[in-house]
Amino acid sequence: MGTLSYALELFPKVIKYKLSMWGVIKPPVPDNFTFSVTNMCQSRCKTCDIWQLYKKKPKLKEKELKLWEIERIFKSMGHVYFFNLSGGEPFLRNDLPEIVDLACKYLTPRVIHTPTNAIASDLVLKQTRKILEIMKKNNCDAVFTIKPSFDGIGKKHDEIRGVKGNFKKLMRTYNGLKKLQKEYPNLDVSLGTVISRFNFDQIKEIVEYGKNLKPDSYINEIAEERSELFTKGKPITPDSEQYNKAIKFFSEEIRKDMKKKKSLVRIMQAFRLVYYELAVRTMREKRQVIPCYGGIASVHLNAYGDVWPCCILGYEKSMGNLRDYGYDFMKVWRSKQADGVRKYIKQKNCYCPLANISYTNMLCNPRYMLKVIRNILF
């Protein structure tokens, strides 16, 4: 999709989001939709404790949304632009391709994205092929982006991720995905690094290694204290100066080859360059630098049907559970409980450098969008 058509599709929705923020109209369907399909995970990351959930409460897995429930939810939502599959490890959900099938039919997204810890190489490659075939069958012209996690080189990656041999499995998965890409041009194979207190001082080496692998895009996120990941109070986040120093390498590498990238990738890279600046400011100033549209333009659905404005607030600020509302998304989305959460965010009671929601916030902010456009053009 070209830059112009992208802008033309999203601009009217940005107006609606702003009117909703001001209380003029009811919140429309959000364009940025993240669905944590499972909390199962084989990783034992230093930056995430989600893997402990089923260890402590094994019966909780049985409460994950079933496929028929997911269909009713998607059907009640309609079109979204970004559909992000999350976890846990998304590929441990056996019916992940069927979930994508339902997304193609009811959500008609332009971009479908999923991260992976890349441990179960054969499973990831098998499921990815099946997903791409389903998209082809549905005439879904969305880009399918998959982002293996890459937090260090060799044993350092294994140490941070808590699984011996993880790095070798990561390389096997990544190389398999690049081969698969030759058959499916709508497959985008990326890399993602979580910058934490455990690797911020090695980012230059990590970036150089990652660039040599020639991913379609290479992004980073900062390790955060998230309700969803059960990391509240855990000392995993680097300070603003450590993070600022680390992301300079990412920004420099993005600018070097930005013009060579495909249109959609170039757009996303332009957003990332501005996001890095915004994230540092947010960490330094400890406030919402620009208004947050969490719970208006973006939404997070967890594995049990809870609707969240974002994964940071997560369990602490649920907007309601879809099972209690007959799987009707708009009933939850426009409930009094949801309005209370939006009021909490609008009053700037929270702030964070969460990447996913920051992109949406920038889209709704003219000053920051001018910076993005400048990066695209120049």
Side-chain angles (χ1 to χ4, degrees):
M1 167 172 284
T3 306
L4 181 59
S5 56
Y6 171 87
L8 290 175
E9 178 170 349
L10 290 183
F11 181 73
K13 295 178 181 179
V14 170
I15 300 299
K16 289 182 180 180
Y17 297 144
K18 285 186 168 294
L19 291 174
S20 178
M21 171 77 84
W22 297 332
V24 178
I25 64 172
K26 293 181 179 180
V29 175
D31 241 3
N32 189 340
F33 175 32
T34 298
F35 178 23
S36 291
V37 296
T38 184
N39 282 329
M40 290 186 291
C41 192
Q42 322 98 306
S43 295
R44 299 293 183 263
C45 299
K46 289 185 175 182
T47 56
C48 173
D49 285 339
I50 203 169
W51 59 272
Q52 294 190 31
L53 187 61
Y54 291 159
K55 184 179 179 181
K56 295 177 180 178
K57 300 179 180 179
K59 291 186 178 180
L60 190 59
K61 182 184 176 299
E62 300 171 10
K63 295 186 179 181
E64 289 183 354
L65 290 166
K66 306 298 186 292
L67 203 60
W68 68 267
E69 295 177 295
I70 295 169
E71 180 170 20
R72 290 184 65 180
I73 293 167
F74 286 5
K75 195 173 182 179
S76 75
M77 291 182 69
H79 175 64
V80 302
Y81 198 97
F82 298 100
F83 178 50
N84 304 298
L85 295 158
S86 186
E89 167 56 34
F91 286 94
L92 289 182
R93 176 114 189 192
N94 293 329
D95 57 359
L96 186 66
E98 286 71 29
I99 293 174
V100 174
D101 189 20
L102 293 174
C104 290
K105 290 177 180 176
Y106 299 113
L107 303 178
T108 60
R110 294 287 190 176
V111 179
I112 302 174
H113 170 73
T114 184
T116 177
N117 59 29
I119 292 174
S121 300
D122 292 339
L123 177 63
V124 171
L125 295 173
K126 179 183 176 182
Q127 294 282 62
T128 299
R129 180 183 287 277
K130 190 173 181 181
I131 286 170
L132 292 164
E133 284 296 323
I134 283 172
M135 292 173 67
K136 187 177 179 180
K137 180 195 72 176
N138 283 303
N139 294 317
C140 177
D141 61 354
V143 176
F144 182 64
T145 72
I146 182 167
K147 183 187 68 178
S149 298
F150 170 49
D151 290 350
I153 302 168
K155 291 182 180 179
K156 185 64 177 180
H157 179 80
D158 295 356
E159 177 191 328
I160 293 173
R161 289 272 154 178
V163 176
K164 188 177 181 180
N166 193 338
F167 187 77
K168 289 183 179 179
K169 293 173 181 177
L170 161 63
M171 291 298 102
R172 182 169 180 264
T173 304
Y174 178 81
N175 291 329
L177 289 169
K178 292 300 283 186
K179 287 181 181 178
L180 196 60
Q181 191 177 40
K182 295 176 182 178
E183 299 178 49
Y184 301 93
N186 63 321
L187 175 62
D188 181 289
V189 184
S190 304
L191 286 172
T193 296
V194 176
I195 299 178
S196 68
R197 287 188 178 272
F198 312 110
N199 66 359
F200 75 89
D201 57 345
Q202 299 172 24
I203 289 300
K204 184 176 181 180
E205 293 80 7
I206 295 171
V207 170
E208 289 174 348
Y209 192 101
K211 185 183 178 184
N212 287 333
L213 294 174
K214 301 186 184 305
D216 293 306
S217 63
Y218 181 22
I219 66 175
N220 79 74
E221 292 189 42
I222 187 168
E224 296 177 85
E225 297 181 29
R226 300 186 187 182
S227 172
E228 178 198 25
L229 305 182
F230 306 101
T231 52
K232 290 286 186 177
K234 197 171 181 180
I236 58 176
T237 308
D239 64 39
S240 59
E241 296 313 311
Q242 290 169 339
Y243 179 63
N244 185 39
K245 184 177 179 181
I247 59 97
K248 281 183 178 179
F249 296 111
F250 279 90
S251 298
E252 288 169 4
E253 294 305 317
I254 285 175
R255 292 186 188 280
K256 283 179 184 177
D257 62 352
M258 193 167 165
K259 290 184 178 180
K260 301 174 186 177
K261 298 295 184 180
K262 293 180 288 187
S263 181
L264 182 62
V265 174
R266 191 165 66 250
I267 292 169
M268 295 311 300
Q269 287 183 331
F271 269 92
R272 284 177 192 127
L273 286 170
V274 181
Y275 159 70
Y276 294 150
E277 172 195 329
L278 177 61
V280 171
R281 278 197 64 191
T282 301
M283 293 173 68
R284 280 175 177 164
E285 299 175 24
K286 300 185 184 303
R287 67 181 182 89
Q288 286 184 24
V289 175
I290 58 177
C292 180
Y293 285 79
I296 296 177
S298 61
V299 66
H300 193 120
L301 174 65
N302 82 349
Y304 319 111
D306 292 306
V307 177
W308 299 339
C310 65
C311 63
I312 301 294
L313 296 177
Y315 295 99
E316 299 169 10
K317 292 293 178 182
S318 173
M319 296 174 137
N321 189 286
L322 283 157
R323 284 169 169 156
D324 298 330
Y325 288 80
Y327 307 100
D328 189 327
F329 176 81
M330 295 310 292
K331 283 185 178 179
V332 176
W333 196 235
R334 292 175 175 175
S335 66
K336 288 184 179 180
Q337 187 172 332
D339 287 341
V341 174
R342 292 188 189 97
K343 184 178 180 181
Y344 176 89
I345 297 170
K346 186 178 180 181
Q347 290 176 342
K348 300 186 177 182
N349 291 301
C350 58
Y351 65 89
C352 73
L354 181 64
N356 184 31
I357 203 165
S358 292
Y359 299 149
T360 305
N361 294 343
M362 289 188 293
L363 189 67
C364 297
N365 187 282
R367 186 162 62 89
Y368 273 78
M369 274 308 298
L370 283 174
K371 293 184 179 183
V372 173
I373 293 169
R374 200 178 302 127
N375 282 327
I376 293 172
L377 299 177
F378 306 110

